[in-house]
Amino acid sequence: MLLAGSGPSLQEAAAYAASCHPSVSKVLVADSDRFMHPLAEPWARLIQLVQQRENFSHIVAASGSFGKNILPRAAALLDVSPVTDVIEISESTKFVRPIYAGNALCTVRYTGAHPCMLTIRSTSFQAQPDSTDSKAHKAPISQVDLSTFEEDTIGKSQYVKLTSQESERPDLGNARIVVTGGRGLKSAENFKMLEKLAEKLGAAVGATRAAVDAGFVPNDLQVGQTGKIVAPELYLAFGVSGAIQHLAGMRDSKVIVAVNKDADAPIFQVADYGLVGDLFEVIPELLEKLPEKN
Amino acid sequence: MKIMVAVKRVVDYAVKIRVKPDKTGVETKNVKMSMNPFCEIALEEALRIRESGLASEVVAVSIGPAQCVDTLRTGLAMGADRGIHVESQDGLNPLSVAKVLRALVEAEKPGLFILGKQAIDDDCNQTGQMLAGLLKWPQGTFASKVTLDKEKQVATVDREVDGGIETVLLDLPAVITTDLRLNQPRYATLPNIMKAKSKVIKKHTPGDLNVEMKSDLEVLQVTEPPKRKAGVIISSVDELIDKLKDEARVI
């Protein structure tokens, strides 16, 4: 595993990584102010540097905004084609990835030189439980030598800030239940009703692109082809029409419920349970009748 | 300053695609093709920057078969000053495309390169990042806002990331990839469509630019995703809660 950052919390993370799973054989730590923020330019250079020394067969990152930003740049530095957004690993060089917003699946074989670089869609893979063995396997931790990390050859970028919403809601990416609102919610104010429902269910709140574009909610709630990909046990879509691009982000949910006034809305074609009705009546009724979460 | 924009010709976003029965790919014959929506946004942003006086020229480039000229003409009609078509019959892959674009950057020397975040056909989301890596330029990907400071030669980019909006400051020249909320692209007006006919599109081949269009990836098959079991329409909230509790057992 490769970790980069700076300071004591980095070393703590490294200690955790070293014993989190028996298949971790080594932890590499790059400790420097350069890595205080997740900037692509130093990170890609770091991956290139480490690969040139260690010659790994595969380099893998999760397909979130961090992995998507840095891995392709690192691949270009190493002159290889990465495979991004992998949903299935069939063999060590054979992968499946979605194309056309998930309306087709493409099986590819990587025929290039080492390293084979991948970003993987975390919702398509099971998380490994953390090692609970007290005589836990502890992989050696080694510090990456950054003395040849030439500063001036990297394009200059500077991290300014991250603007995010504070929330006690579970993380959208791994919540067991997701409650999503679309354009049918009609206003930011109305999303509060959805949040109450999410609170009652212990759910995360999601949104369609339309709802984010309209300013009802911030962008980090967007579920879809170009937003977050989610695969919860239960996905409840209120006032969501079901555009292809939204379905791309939630079609792997175990159970899909749709509530929409329009009986012809495409969402009903993917919903396991569809209720044709007014969400402004359905949500209050649900709030009243749903059992309290344990 | 010159701005270069790469635009890709793809299956129109509204088309319901069909997987070919022989599983070799997606049917694109007789299917409506358009400029990739993210590329439209990239071009729109370049045009706005030029219109605000911070750039002098917008050059649109497209790589692919002869019909890419149509995509470039649309770009010229939107307002790009000139176009470059790199003709290639081979399948496009991000690394080869990035190498072609690098060669063009070395010839044209733009101060800013704007691309769409991803193409809606392959959904790769790689080309901009690769181009930036090859050029050793800083990158501002998934941009939802771009502000240029000509004096200081920097771009402030707001990026849509998992945790919210991240703001970065990039020294120019830089690569920016556009996310959906960056802007609303303009429609080409009829007078501009007419004017576009006389704008120049220069032709190249990857060979002229010393790039080999080869791929490290072999497509083995293209298939449809597994179909979901058909659902049911229910008639009341009570019934919904029952089903979720007793049938689906998710609450």
Side-chain angles (χ1 to χ4, degrees):
Chain A
M1 296 194 73
L2 172 63
L3 277 78
S6 89
S9 59
L10 172 65
Q11 301 302 333
E12 273 169 42
Y16 175 79
S19 45
C20 71
H21 196 275
S23 60
V24 176
S25 55
K26 188 157 67 169
V27 177
L28 300 171
V29 180
D31 191 338
S32 159
D33 282 345
R34 294 179 188 97
F35 304 114
M36 198 151 60
H37 300 293
L39 292 171
E41 300 81 6
W43 259 96
R45 173 70 188 120
L46 175 66
I47 292 171
Q48 179 191 24
L49 194 74
V50 167
Q51 175 62 17
Q52 283 165 344
R53 290 175 190 163
E54 309 267 344
N55 196 25
F56 295 109
S57 63
H58 294 74
I59 297 179
V60 184
S63 183
S65 53
F66 171 70
K68 288 194 277 204
N69 187 32
I70 64 160
L71 205 95
R73 185 182 177 114
L77 297 181
L78 292 164
D79 200 24
V80 295
S81 292
V83 188
T84 50
D85 217 21
V86 168
I87 60 170
E88 188 185 310
I89 297 174
S90 320
E91 290 165 25
S92 66
T93 54
K94 187 170 160 194
F95 313 102
V96 181
R97 60 181 301 275
I99 56 174
Y100 288 94
N103 286 297
L105 299 181
C106 188
T107 306
V108 295
R109 181 173 295 288
Y110 179 71
T111 56
H114 280 181
C116 171
M117 299 182 74
L118 310 176
T119 63
I120 61 121
R121 208 183 248 202
S122 22
T123 53
S124 298
F125 297 86
Q126 287 268 48
Q128 291 289 301
D130 283 353
S131 181
T132 50
D133 184 353
S134 57
K135 279 201 246 182
H137 158 88
K138 264 204 198 106
I141 299 174
S142 80
Q143 306 293 322
V144 176
D145 175 1
L146 298 169
S147 57
T148 54
F149 195 94
E150 320 85 34
E151 209 64 53
D152 43 329
T153 59
I154 309 174
K156 290 288 191 312
S157 68
Q158 209 181 303
Y159 184 90
V160 176
K161 64 178 177 185
L162 176 68
T163 313
S164 61
Q165 301 283 108
E166 285 299 315
S167 177
E168 278 146 28
R169 270 302 93 63
D171 178 46
L172 186 52
N174 13 18
R176 195 182 75 83
I177 303 179
V178 172
V179 169
T180 284
R183 203 198 307 259
L185 267 292
K186 296 206 173 85
S187 74
E189 190 60 38
N190 291 333
F191 256 84
K192 294 208 172 80
M193 185 177 56
L194 207 71
E195 276 166 40
K196 279 215 201 79
L197 182 62
E199 171 80 47
K200 185 136 196 205
L201 289 167
V205 176
T208 62
R209 179 201 162 180
V212 177
D213 280 357
F216 300 162
V217 282
N219 73 294
D220 56 326
L221 267 55
Q222 184 173 324
V223 171
Q225 179 186 18
T226 65
K228 290 194 168 69
I229 309 289
V230 301
E233 296 269 312
L234 175 60
Y235 189 90
L236 299 122
F238 293 92
V240 171
S241 64
I244 299 173
Q245 294 80 8
H246 181 71
L247 300 187
M250 44 64 84
R251 64 194 299 153
D252 292 333
S253 307
K254 313 289 181 303
V255 177
I256 297 173
V257 171
V259 176
N260 195 307
K261 262 197 304 204
D262 177 8
D264 294 325
I267 190 86
F268 289 119
Q269 284 161 36
V270 294
D272 298 292
Y273 303 110
L275 184 52
V276 181
D278 186 343
L279 63 95
F280 293 105
E281 287 170 19
V282 171
I283 295 180
E285 197 178 339
L286 277 170
L287 278 167
E288 199 195 322
K289 295 180 172 170
L290 273 171
E292 288 301 324
K293 68 172 172 16
N294 337 357
Chain B
M1 176 179 76
K2 198 187 298 185
I3 304 179
M4 276 190 96
V5 179
V7 297
K8 190 178 183 185
R9 178 173 177 269
V10 297
V11 173
D12 186 84
Y13 81 96
V15 164
K16 194 162 175 164
I17 55 115
R18 261 186 346 110
V19 172
K20 288 191 215 170
D22 65 3
K23 298 194 188 169
T24 55
V26 160
E27 190 58 78
T28 54
K29 264 205 283 276
N30 299 320
V31 153
K32 180 177 183 199
M33 305 294 278
S34 303
M35 188 186 296
N36 183 43
F38 292 94
C39 300
E40 283 183 333
I41 293 171
L43 182 51
E44 175 63 33
E45 196 64 18
L47 296 172
R48 291 186 189 191
I49 295 172
R50 186 194 64 199
E51 285 158 6
S52 70
L54 295 169
S56 52
E57 196 184 19
V58 172
V59 182
V61 50
S62 193
I63 302 162
Q67 300 93 320
C68 287
V69 169
D70 298 335
T71 312
L72 283 170
R73 287 275 168 229
T74 304
L76 294 170
M78 280 172 69
D81 297 290
R82 58 187 166 86
I84 300 176
H85 174 215
V86 181
E87 182 145 8
S88 169
Q89 300 304 330
D90 298 316
L92 301 177
N93 65 82
L95 185 56
S96 302
V97 167
K99 289 178 176 174
V100 167
L101 296 179
R102 173 181 53 180
L104 292 174
V105 165
E106 283 163 5
E108 296 271 353
K109 303 193 184 352
L112 189 59
F113 205 120
I114 313 183
L115 300 91
K117 153 172 120 165
Q118 71 196 61
I120 61 168
D121 50 11
D122 56 28
D123 281 328
C124 281
N125 189 339
Q126 298 170 24
T127 308
Q129 294 86 308
M130 296 184 124
L131 177 61
L134 293 175
L135 291 170
K136 297 193 161 49
W137 287 7
Q139 63 190 58
T141 57
F142 330 143
S144 60
K145 185 162 167 209
V146 174
T147 313
L148 287 188
D149 186 330
K150 201 171 184 181
E151 285 283 308
K152 299 194 186 130
Q153 284 288 291
V154 292
T156 304
V157 180
D158 280 357
R159 306 177 51 231
E160 303 221 3
V161 297
D162 291 339
I165 306 281
E166 181 187 276
T167 306
V168 292
L169 199 66
L170 312 175
D171 283 355
L172 297 181
V175 172
I176 290 175
T177 76
T178 65
D179 214 322
L180 287 175
R181 267 172 287 280
L182 179 58
N183 61 50
Q184 274 269 46
R186 67 195 63 188
Y187 291 109
T189 62
L190 195 51
N192 285 333
I193 295 173
M194 299 310 294
K195 262 194 249 171
K197 294 190 181 184
S198 58
K199 290 183 182 175
V200 170
I201 294 180
K202 185 157 178 217
K203 286 226 183 284
H204 282 292
T205 62
D208 296 342
L209 303 168
N210 286 321
V211 176
E212 200 192 331
M213 300 294 289
K214 67 176 175 81
S215 178
D216 290 337
L217 295 175
E218 189 195 328
V219 174
L220 298 178
Q221 64 169 9
V222 173
T223 51
E224 281 185 6
K227 283 198 177 13
R228 285 188 81 94
K229 215 164 83 284
V232 293
I233 298 287
I234 47 177
S235 50
S236 70
V237 171
D238 290 319
E239 197 188 341
L240 175 62
I241 295 178
D242 280 338
K243 294 274 190 195
L244 291 178
K245 259 206 296 199
D246 303 324
E247 198 174 86
R249 293 181 211 271
V250 281
I251 57 171

